[in-house]
Amino acid sequence: YYNDLVGPFQVKDIEQEIRRALEQLPQRQREIFRLYRFHDYAAPEIAQLLKLTEGTVNFQLHKAHKKLKEYFRVLFSQSRQTF
């Protein structure tokens, strides 16, 4: 199953694309996303840490996920055309 998802990409390629994708996000979204996904903070913790409402954190996470999903949808559709 993993190989079906990865296709022609190597793990290092995917890590590089994740970094590129994250750099596409606005700074605040990127910060919230990283805290949530890579540092295991919950939305209420992020809200308190950044002095935001929990609703704002959840909305920014939603927007970040949507942008990242689109980034990788385009990337993987292009890779299928290439290979």
Side-chain angles (χ1 to χ4, degrees), residues 19-81:
R19 283 192 292 277
R20 283 186 189 147
L22 289 174
E23 289 303 316
Q24 302 284 322
L25 297 176
Q27 189 273 331
R28 179 53 56 105
Q29 275 182 17
R30 186 171 54 246
E31 180 179 21
I32 290 170
F33 184 85
R34 283 184 172 149
L35 288 169
Y36 185 77
R37 286 288 175 199
F38 302 134
H39 299 286
D40 295 323
Y41 280 77
E45 295 171 312
I46 297 169
Q48 186 177 21
L49 181 69
L50 301 179
K51 298 181 180 16
L52 301 169
T53 66
E54 189 175 340
T56 297
V57 170
N58 287 324
F59 182 67
Q60 292 300 316
L61 284 169
H62 172 76
K63 286 174 61 175
H65 282 119
K66 189 174 177 179
K67 288 177 185 176
L68 293 170
K69 182 178 177 180
E70 178 62 14
Y71 179 92
F72 284 103
R73 185 191 67 76
V74 169
L75 177 69
F76 286 124
S77 69
Q78 289 173 351
S79 72
R80 286 189 186 122
Q81 294 171 5

